[in-house]
Amino acid sequence: MLVAAAVCPCPPLLVPEVAAGAAPELDAARAACADALGVLAAARPDRLVVIGPAERGGRYLQGTRGSFRGFGVDLDVRLGPGDAVGPELPASLAVAAWLLARIGWADVPVEGVGVDAGLPADQCAALGAGITGGNDRIALLVMGDGSASRTLKAPGYLDDRAAPFDAEAARALGTADLVALAALDAGLARELQASGRAPWQVLAAAAEGAGLDGTLLYDEAPYGVGYLVAAWS
């Protein structure tokens, strides 16, 4: 049973050591993420599941290590306490691990799920239903970005379809509109490099029947990439 969810963007630039001199530009996003994680803690879940885009889908145990060395920073993280053996966290889950460590999340067991960014909507739905299908009180931390095509200097260059796509995603996340999230166009999301589409659709399925309300906490496009933060409770 899903009792709360937080939606956060996953750029490594959220980590100040990676952003370096540009770190203050995302201070508001970091604050919004902390607020969203506070909603998860307040729900007193039995277990936290962190979902984020990855090149390949897979599950990650509590204590799995991640690193920002690939971004030129000598910084390691772990997904909760412990020291699990296995592949390193994908970048999205490494950012999530950093966010959780930042607020001191340690009391509730946590695990990670990497979601193939191109996973079809029906498979996202099956994954989401499976995550919350038991009797545990589950909280979700859902990582993912909106489009990467909001400006000429954006990673995906300027695309006129990007702003409307992000606006609809922001509206759906801010109102916990499960139908609208499930209907996001996977092909368009791929063209706009919107890595959050698949994780958001996993969330939509996981939240079926939970009766949660949503609040949009942040909606900006620094660097031409749509960053959204929302809390569901």
Side-chain angles (χ1 to χ4, degrees), residues 190-216:
R190 181 177 61 254
E191 293 173 11
L192 298 176
Q193 302 180 29
S195 69
R197 189 276 310 173
W200 298 339
Q201 291 184 327
V202 173
L203 167 62
E208 282 287 346
L212 302 183
D213 294 322
T215 302
L216 188 66

Side-chain angles (χ1 to χ4, degrees), residues 77-106:
V77 293
R78 289 183 184 176
L79 187 63
D83 190 8
V85 177
E88 276 200 353
L89 298 171
S92 66
L93 298 188
V95 173
W98 179 84
L99 287 171
L100 291 169
R102 184 171 181 250
I103 67 162
W105 187 285

Side-chain angles (χ1 to χ4, degrees), residues 139-220:
L140 295 182
L141 172 53
V142 183
M143 309 297 291
D145 299 340
S147 71
S149 301
R150 293 279 292 272
T151 66
L152 291 173
K153 294 184 178 181
Y157 196 65
L158 178 64
D159 191 313
D160 290 341
R161 301 171 296 173
F165 177 91
D166 287 347
E168 174 59 7
R171 186 202 65 77
L173 291 169
T175 59
D177 188 335
L178 309 186
V179 174
L181 288 173
L184 290 174
D185 188 316
L188 178 58
R190 181 177 61 254
E191 293 173 11
L192 298 176
Q193 302 180 29
S195 69
R197 189 276 310 173
W200 298 339
Q201 291 184 327
V202 173
L203 167 62
E208 282 287 346
L212 302 183
D213 294 322
T215 302
L216 188 66
L217 302 176
Y218 183 85
D219 177 9
E220 299 290 344

Side-chain angles (χ1 to χ4, degrees), residues 34 70 75-76 80 87 97 107 119-120 132 136 139 147 150 163 199 203 221 224:
L75 176 65
D76 296 323
D107 295 335
L119 196 69
T132 54
D136 286 351
S147 71
R150 293 279 292 272
L203 167 62

